[in-house]
Amino acid sequence: GNSVTQMEGPVTLSEEAFLTINCTYTATGYPSLFWYVQYPGEGLQLLLKATKADDKGSNKGFEATYRKETTSFHLEKGSVQVSDSAVYFCALTGLDTGRRALTFGSGTRLQVQP
Amino acid sequence: NAGVTQTPKFRILKIGQSMTLQCTQDMNHNYMYWYRQDPGMGLKLIYYSVGAGITDKGEVPNGYNVSRSTTEDFPLRLELAAPSQTSVYFCASSYSGPSSYEQYFGPGTRLTVT
């Protein structure tokens, strides 16, 4: 079946540090890939997405590239801020077009210290 | 637009009690979903609906029921609450276009069963 594996957290960084959160997936075909962010006490918000191989999704300084050869979709940001502290979820969909449900990774908590 | 709204935000139930979690969206989306999020885990799909009058089971449907009488509303029913149903519940919706897989999430309902 489909699955998403993320690096375990928490990830603790100082402000302006470089961020990488690893995400790999197992699926057949060509899923769409997403990063969602969950701020404390809130629901999930879409951060970025990529729908085909070699696509790069980007938003708010975050980037992720759809790498089919390595089945990866790593999240990066060049300079994190305290306001980026949240839980980040990697997810995929598109394989089961009947329901289009998301398969989530377990989430990675990011803590950015001033 | 309010997007996806959920009520209540918090609820404590005793074992064996019943309740309905409400979910409403005002984006005219055909697809709607219920997920549960357990501590330190990703979201798991409980039930989904591809349109009014059509519902189907997800990965973890036991102990829950749903209905979809209108496009806007997708309530989740717990008939006999058990401690294993202590979780945060998220409702989501998405457009049914051919390449639209982005889901919009509500703020969640935190349920405790004691």
Side-chain angles (χ1 to χ4, degrees), chain A residues 1 3-4 7 17 24 26 34 40-41 43-44 46 49-50 67-68 70 86 91 96 102 111:
Chain A
S3 67
V4 176
M7 62 188 290
T24 57
T26 301
F34 304 84
L44 279 71
L46 180 66
K49 66 181 179 183
R67 302 287 188 197
K68 184 158 179 66
T70 55
D96 180 357
L102 290 164
Q111 300 172 337

Side-chain angles (χ1 to χ4, degrees), chain A residues 21-103:
Chain A
I21 299 178
N22 291 336
C23 170
T24 57
Y25 67 90
T26 301
T28 56
Y30 298 87
S32 294
L33 301 174
F34 304 84
W35 277 100
Y36 279 82
V37 58
Q38 184 179 29
Y39 298 103
E42 298 184 11
L44 279 71
Q45 304 173 24
L46 180 66
L47 180 60
L48 54 84
K49 66 181 179 183
T51 58
K52 61 183 186 293
D54 300 326
D55 266 3
K56 177 185 283 188
S58 61
N59 186 27
K60 299 182 181 180
F62 290 90
E63 294 183 339
T65 301
Y66 189 145
R67 302 287 188 197
K68 184 158 179 66
E69 63 276 12
T70 55
T71 62
S72 65
F73 193 54
H74 305 322
L75 182 68
E76 296 182 336
K77 186 174 185 182
S79 176
V80 294
Q81 306 299 313
V82 172
S83 58
D84 294 326
S85 298
V87 181
Y88 293 81
F89 291 93
C90 186
L92 66 80
T93 192
L95 304 176
D96 180 357
T97 55
R99 65 182 189 182
R100 303 187 180 193
L102 290 164
T103 298

Side-chain angles (χ1 to χ4, degrees), chain A residues 32 34 36 38 42-44 46 49 89 93-94 97-102 104-106, chain B residues 31 33 35 37 40-43 45 48 50 90 95-97 100-103 105-106:
Chain A
S32 294
F34 304 84
Y36 279 82
Q38 184 179 29
E42 298 184 11
L44 279 71
L46 180 66
K49 66 181 179 183
F89 291 93
T93 192
T97 55
R99 65 182 189 182
R100 303 187 180 193
L102 290 164
F104 286 89
S106 57
Chain B
Y31 286 72
Y33 309 85
Y35 294 91
Q37 182 184 27
M41 305 290 288
L43 280 68
L45 181 67
Y48 69 99
V50 301
F90 290 100
Y95 177 56
S96 58
S100 298
Y101 297 102
E102 177 180 347
Q103 294 186 14
F105 284 80

